[in-house]
């Protein structure tokens, strides 16, 4: 065992090794210090929310990104999915609810407000700064719908898998790419072009 790090009031859902260190995605509730060392990197979410944290190969804290507490994500314990690209940028996917004033995915680093509910894919740059978010929206909230995992291919495109219930627009942009389930929820695979290019979020296909 080379190192061990313990974060109270949180759980880790997935881990990935990048060129910079070890990325961890998960959920937390209350106030958590994401720096297990002598430093302090506290974040708070009274109702629970998601986090992405980066640690060095030696287990030292590098940075943390958290979604805002006003995410109104009562089902935040659904495990978020994590992916990394060749440059060490981190991507994660899950779901978000219809907060009264929208959700600011650039929380603490500018403004990027999105209306929900729906499924999101966010990119965090390899230095911990917020990059962008693509949202696949639904007319009605569903406790089932969520992105559960994401991988980045050699072209820099994001492939997201998950489940959805009801109707959803798989086009995060101004167009529409509607899909509707039957009596039960269904799985999906969705490829979004240009995860690390200017055409980010353009849908290539979905199943």
């Amino acid at each position: 065992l080379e190192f061990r790090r313990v974060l109270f009031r949180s759980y880790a859902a997935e881990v990935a090794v990048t060129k910079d260190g070890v990325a961890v995605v998960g959920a937390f509730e209350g106030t958590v210090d994401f720096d297990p060392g002598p430093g302090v990197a506290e974040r708070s979410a009274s109702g629970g929310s998601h986090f992405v944290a980066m640690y060095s190969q030696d287990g030292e804290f590098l940075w943390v990104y958290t979604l805002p507490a006003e995410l109104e994500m009562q089902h935040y314990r659904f495990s978020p999915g994590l992916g990394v690209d060749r440059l060490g940028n981190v991507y994660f996917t899950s779901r978000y609810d219809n907060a009264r004033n929208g959700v600011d995915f650039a929380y603490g680093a500018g403004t990027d407000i999105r209306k929900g509910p729906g499924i999101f894919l966010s990119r965090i740059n390899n230095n911990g700064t917020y990059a962008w978010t693509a949202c696949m929206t639904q007319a009605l909230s569903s406790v089932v719908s969520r992105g559960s995992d994401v991988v980045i291919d050699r072209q820099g495109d994001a492939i997201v898998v998950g489940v959805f219930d009801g109707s959803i627009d798989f086009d995060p942009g101004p167009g529409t790419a509607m899909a509707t389930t039957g009596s039960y929820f269904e799985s999906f695979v969705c490829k979004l072009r240009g995860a690390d290019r200017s055409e980010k979020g353009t849908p290539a296909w979905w199943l």
Side-chain angles (χ1 to χ4, degrees):
L1 178 66
E2 293 189 6
F3 68 84
R4 180 183 68 178
R5 295 294 182 261
V6 178
L7 302 175
F8 295 100
R9 299 180 66 86
S10 66
Y11 82 86
E14 196 170 346
V15 62
V17 177
T18 77
K19 71 180 188 65
D20 301 303
V22 179
V24 182
V25 67
F28 74 106
E29 186 174 11
T31 298
V32 174
D33 180 6
F34 287 92
D35 187 347
V40 177
E42 289 187 340
R43 302 291 188 274
S44 298
S46 58
S49 194
H50 291 322
F51 72 88
V52 179
M54 181 70 75
Y55 299 89
S56 73
Q57 297 289 355
D58 296 321
E60 300 303 316
F61 173 78
L62 297 178
W63 53 260
V64 63
Y65 166 85
T66 62
L67 288 173
E70 63 265 25
L71 196 67
E72 293 188 4
M73 192 162 46
Q74 295 91 339
H75 307 282
Y76 74 94
R77 291 180 179 84
F78 284 136
S79 297
L82 175 69
V84 297
D85 65 19
R86 65 186 185 279
L87 300 176
N89 301 310
V90 179
Y91 303 75
F92 75 110
T93 182
S94 188
R95 68 181 299 273
Y96 68 110
D97 285 330
N98 193 18
R100 183 178 298 106
N101 298 315
V103 174
D104 185 4
F105 282 91
Y107 182 51
T111 303
D112 188 4
I113 296 176
R114 306 298 183 90
K115 297 287 187 178
I119 296 167
F120 71 86
L121 171 68
S122 291
R123 168 178 149 170
I124 311 302
N125 295 324
N126 55 21
N127 61 358
T129 58
Y130 173 79
W132 52 261
T133 292
C135 295
M136 294 164 277
T137 57
Q138 294 186 277
L140 299 175
S141 181
S142 168
V143 299
V144 174
S145 300
R146 65 190 183 278
S148 57
D149 208 354
V150 56
V151 296
I152 310 302
D153 66 17
R154 292 181 180 179
Q155 289 72 44
D157 297 332
I159 301 172
V160 181
V161 298
V163 296
F164 73 105
D165 186 19
S167 295
I168 189 170
D169 181 5
F170 280 110
D171 188 341
T176 57
M178 298 300 300
T180 303
T181 63
S183 302
Y184 301 96
F185 62 86
E186 298 179 6
S187 300
F188 73 85
V189 182
C190 178
K191 181 173 181 176
L192 303 178
R193 290 193 180 95
D196 61 355
R197 303 191 300 274
S198 60
E199 58 181 328
K200 60 181 179 290
T202 304
W205 48 258
W206 67 94
L207 303 173

